[in-house]
Amino acid sequence: MEVILIRHTSVDVPPGMCYGQTDVPLKPTFETEAAVTAENLKAYLPFDHVYTSPLTRCVRLATYCGYPDAERDKRIMEINFGDWEMKPFEQNEDPRLQEWYADYMNVAATGGESFTMQYRRVSQFLDELKKKPYTRVAIFAHGGVLICAQLYAGILKAEEAFDALTPYGGIVRINLNKE
């Protein structure tokens, strides 16, 4: 199964802000960015099914690209930063932040999840997807979800994952073997 992963366009939050699952606004350049993504997506058409994170930054791009009825699935939401959501990393005085910086794979944000927890959530979604009768699927999601999917597909190794963050509006293709 061919899976086309599309990252949402640029968010309108200050640099250094922790926003994971918060439903943040998109930049005023949305239309311009979305037009480029929609044009690039044409190379992968058609899709048997389209999924999107329920957060509006993904739903809005899916809708712009012609998929207003894309199936929403919470498992493909960005990492949950819990108590850190909408706080600048530099102003976060939670002592766990340093633990998280040292081992974000296994240390959960206070009240949130670790990268490993997000990976399990995304993997569960992909395990289920492999059982579906689709040939080509589109998924409108987040940078962290695209990293998880590429790890799952064996395209990335954990140690290089965050050096391979897909740009806003970017597209990544992976293949999943059907079960």
Side-chain angles (χ1 to χ4, degrees):
M1 176 187 306
E2 188 177 26
V3 178
I4 308 305
L5 300 144
I6 307 102
R7 186 176 181 202
H8 61 79
T9 58
S10 302
V11 294
D12 197 8
V13 296
M17 185 67 68
C18 183
Y19 63 88
Q21 290 189 0
T22 301
D23 216 356
V24 297
L26 293 168
K27 285 193 174 178
T29 54
F30 170 75
E31 296 273 337
T32 304
E33 292 179 61
V36 171
T37 301
E39 184 61 33
N40 292 338
L41 201 54
K42 288 179 182 177
Y44 301 99
L45 298 175
F47 300 116
D48 300 316
H49 199 77
V50 178
Y51 293 91
T52 185
S53 159
L55 296 176
T56 53
R57 57 190 184 263
C58 295
V59 172
R60 191 169 170 201
L61 181 58
T63 299
Y64 184 95
C65 290
Y67 306 100
D69 298 324
E71 184 176 340
R72 284 131 176 93
D73 196 305
K74 289 182 177 183
R75 293 174 295 177
I76 53 174
M77 290 173 67
E78 187 57 280
I79 193 167
N80 179 353
F81 281 114
D83 296 349
W84 303 349
E85 294 274 338
M86 296 313 293
K87 291 181 182 173
F89 279 104
E90 290 179 1
Q91 295 174 17
N92 185 338
E93 296 178 8
D94 186 332
R96 290 186 50 111
L97 183 63
Q98 293 310 313
E99 293 174 42
W100 183 81
Y101 281 145
D103 187 12
Y104 64 85
M105 287 291 222
N106 300 300
V107 174
T110 302
E113 62 186 346
S114 67
F115 181 77
T116 299
M117 294 163 79
Q118 180 188 28
Y119 178 79
R120 278 196 297 262
R121 173 167 50 82
V122 173
S123 295
Q124 180 189 40
F125 170 83
L126 295 171
D127 286 345
E128 188 177 295
L129 181 60
K130 287 193 306 189
K131 297 174 184 173
K132 306 271 184 184
Y134 307 133
T135 303
R136 186 179 297 135
V137 172
I139 299 173
F140 290 85
H142 309 271
V145 173
L146 272 65
I147 288 171
C148 289
Q150 290 174 86
L151 287 168
Y152 181 92
I155 295 170
L156 292 177
K157 293 183 175 101
E159 58 272 11
E160 63 191 19
F162 285 92
D163 293 329
L165 186 62
T166 303
Y168 290 118
I171 299 170
V172 172
R173 181 184 160 275
I174 64 171
N175 281 304
L176 299 180
N177 296 322
K178 291 191 174 201
E179 291 189 354

